Amino acid sequence: MADAKEPEFSIRQIEEAIDAWIATGTGKELTAAQLIRQLGGKKLRALVDRIDRTLSGDDRFFDDGKGKYTLRADFFRGYEFLVTPDAWEIEQGFLFPGHRFSAFINPEIFPSEIKLTGPDGKAVELETIQLPVSQAFHHHLLLGSEQIFDFFTAESAANAHLSRRPDPDGMVTLNVFDLKEFYRKNHFREGDALLCRVEDWVAGRIRFRALPGDARKESDLKNWIASYEKALETVFDRFESYPEIPEQLAYACFIGRNTLPEAVRSASLDEFVRRTNEVEINFETDHTVLAKRAENPDEYPLNPPEGVSVSRGETGEIGALLREVGSPLTPVEVDSYILDCCYARELDFEEFFARAFGREKLHFTDEGQQAVFYNYVEDRFEELTGNYNRVDDEPKGPVRSSILELVDDRLEFFDFLASIGEKVDQLPHESMHKLAAIALQLDEILKMLNDPGYTPDAAELDHLAETVELRTDEHETLISELTGIAGKDVQQQ
């Protein structure tokens, strides 16, 4: 009957006891039993439940789901993570705070109120910049798309109009960290990282130093991303779509505390979102969350937030975007062209673009879609060329080049069809199906070759080369037959 009694203490008394426990600094973990002893009460079921509910709702704690509550300020004290400025930020000499720090500090701290300290112990100054909204989105996406314009308005009164009428082409005023001198002293370039250390979670104090890109291994990044994906899956299973994105990311750090590699062997949040194959930003719920990626997605999602259409056309992910603008390439083939440029030491972006997409051949819905497409392709080119490992890729390069010769032939065939006004669906279905099947098989080989973690021995390379040679004969025969059929159709017309 004892458990049926009403709890002896009010919510206010429980909250005051929690505050007193935090103030004593007696430990990182708290349980209902500890708090009851502190209150001097009896361990009644109703009281335990009330304390558990109170602690679960207190964002100063992580809840392990088993009755133990870890103080976030203690968990994150000394916690290290990476931030990777992009090429444009480095060129301009600043860093968007955006979502970069949101998972690792008190959510009450506004991004530009973070106290960022350099390796010399000096606080980094803020500077105010103006730029188009569309150019700032990807640095803030992990705040949650529905929060972005509220964030912009809170950042500066000059941005208030954006909350009322979102406009990706409008100008936004933002505070950014001035890192010109730091970038210059450290000869900073894309791929280098800021190794950040949380000094005070509550106050949002973070200290950083440079981590050169050549000290970062691709295998480490992939391993960390895989570990973080697993931690996030646990977050998804436990909380479903309730928490905001920064909360999901923070809990993934907590859940992965014993499995995530150390920071120097990690990826930044920006790199994670760009490269994960298991997690996506889900815009379909009542608020933006991270979620397990749907079955068979196209690779490399683009992430314009819901309600902020930068274009009337497709901008959701690169596979659909390629199809809509008229390119028959797949995302893996785009990557392959870039890596082939690296292998051939031909690093001119315009030459790559002309080879992969032609000149004036793409058809964009509007300027917004064109901007999204070019931004993606340029970012991907810079990322892959900047991280190219010749030692790893040299043995694989010739096989990739052979496959891309077939892709070139396929592109030329589609150009021919366009020039005579012939449509693909007017050609024999069986032959086109065979051509597509060959392309799919070659794409699977390209995926393996493009993977820095795949290091085939001589026998494996010989086998791949033989497979490509067999597909080459079939491919050439099909292209020849289909070209002839298309030519006859035109003559008959």
Side-chain angles (χ1 to χ4, degrees), residues 248-261:
Q248 291 178 304
L249 297 170
Y251 253 101
C253 295
F254 175 67
I255 288 170
R257 59 194 179 280
N258 297 321
T259 57
L260 286 170

Side-chain angles (χ1 to χ4, degrees), residues 253-445:
C253 295
F254 175 67
I255 288 170
R257 59 194 179 280
N258 297 321
T259 57
L260 286 170
E262 59 185 332
V264 293
R265 296 167 52 214
S266 72
S268 68
L269 291 179
D270 291 316
E271 290 172 325
F272 174 77
V273 171
R274 188 167 63 244
R275 299 175 58 166
T276 176
N277 291 319
E278 301 296 329
V279 176
E280 66 181 0
I281 299 178
N282 188 334
F283 301 112
E284 296 178 0
T285 60
D286 59 352
H287 65 294
T288 308
V289 295
L290 296 178
K292 188 171 177 60
R293 183 161 294 177
E295 292 290 327
N296 301 318
D298 286 300
E299 293 187 68
Y300 311 122
L302 305 174
N303 296 310
E306 185 180 13
V308 185
S309 176
V310 297
S311 167
R312 295 187 303 276
E314 170 64 51
T315 58
E317 45 79 25
I318 188 61
L321 180 51
L322 284 165
R323 291 190 293 272
E324 186 170 299
V325 303
S327 173
L329 294 179
T330 63
V332 72
E333 288 167 348
V334 175
D335 281 3
S336 299
Y337 273 121
I338 297 172
L339 292 170
D340 195 51
C341 288
C342 296
Y343 173 71
R345 293 185 170 87
E346 297 172 353
L347 301 180
D348 184 276
F349 176 79
E350 296 300 329
E351 291 298 319
F352 147 72
F353 194 92
R355 181 187 178 192
F357 304 109
R359 300 187 188 277
E360 307 300 327
K361 286 179 14 181
L362 301 179
H363 308 288
F364 298 101
T365 301
D366 49 33
E367 291 183 359
Q369 187 183 59
Q370 182 174 352
V372 169
F373 181 80
Y374 275 91
N375 284 340
Y376 166 79
V377 175
E378 288 177 357
D379 287 348
R380 197 69 183 150
F381 185 84
E382 290 176 2
E383 179 186 354
L384 292 181
T385 55
N387 294 315
Y388 183 69
N389 185 331
R390 181 163 295 279
V391 174
D392 169 79
D393 195 58
E394 194 83 39
K396 300 183 286 188
V399 181
R400 183 192 295 113
S401 296
S402 297
I403 296 175
L404 289 178
E405 288 178 9
L406 301 183
V407 178
D408 288 338
D409 290 344
R410 195 176 85 234
L411 294 178
E412 187 177 339
F413 169 64
F414 285 126
D415 285 345
F416 166 70
L417 294 181
S419 70
I420 63 174
E422 184 82 350
K423 295 183 179 178
V424 170
D425 58 9
Q426 295 172 333
L427 295 172
H429 175 75
E430 184 177 352
S431 296
M432 291 303 299
H433 180 76
K434 288 179 180 177
L435 187 64
I438 292 172
L440 285 173
Q441 184 179 8
L442 295 176
D443 262 22
E444 288 304 312
I445 297 175

Side-chain angles (χ1 to χ4, degrees), residues 238-257:
R238 181 176 169 194
F239 297 105
E240 297 182 345
S241 62
Y242 174 71
E244 306 291 348
I245 293 178
E247 179 75 348
Q248 291 178 304
L249 297 170
Y251 253 101
C253 295
F254 175 67
I255 288 170
R257 59 194 179 280

Side-chain angles (χ1 to χ4, degrees), residues 61-114:
F61 291 89
F62 285 123
D63 176 3
D64 74 348
K66 300 176 182 178
K68 292 181 180 179
Y69 302 88
T70 299
L71 196 61
R72 297 192 191 203
D74 282 339
F75 175 81
F76 278 117
R77 186 178 295 116
Y79 193 94
E80 293 187 330
F81 61 96
L82 297 187
V83 170
T84 48
D86 64 26
W88 189 70
E89 288 175 290
I90 296 169
E91 179 185 346
Q92 299 298 316
F94 57 68
L95 177 77
F96 287 100
H99 58 228
R100 265 71 176 264
F101 307 95
S102 60
F104 313 105
I105 61 165
N106 183 353
E108 307 246 335
I109 301 294
F110 201 64
S112 60
E113 293 175 342
I114 292 165

Side-chain angles (χ1 to χ4, degrees), residues 2-17:
D3 281 6
K5 292 181 180 179
E6 289 296 316
E8 299 177 26
F9 301 96
S10 67
I11 291 293
R12 181 174 180 179
Q13 287 174 302
I14 292 171
E15 291 175 342
E16 288 174 349

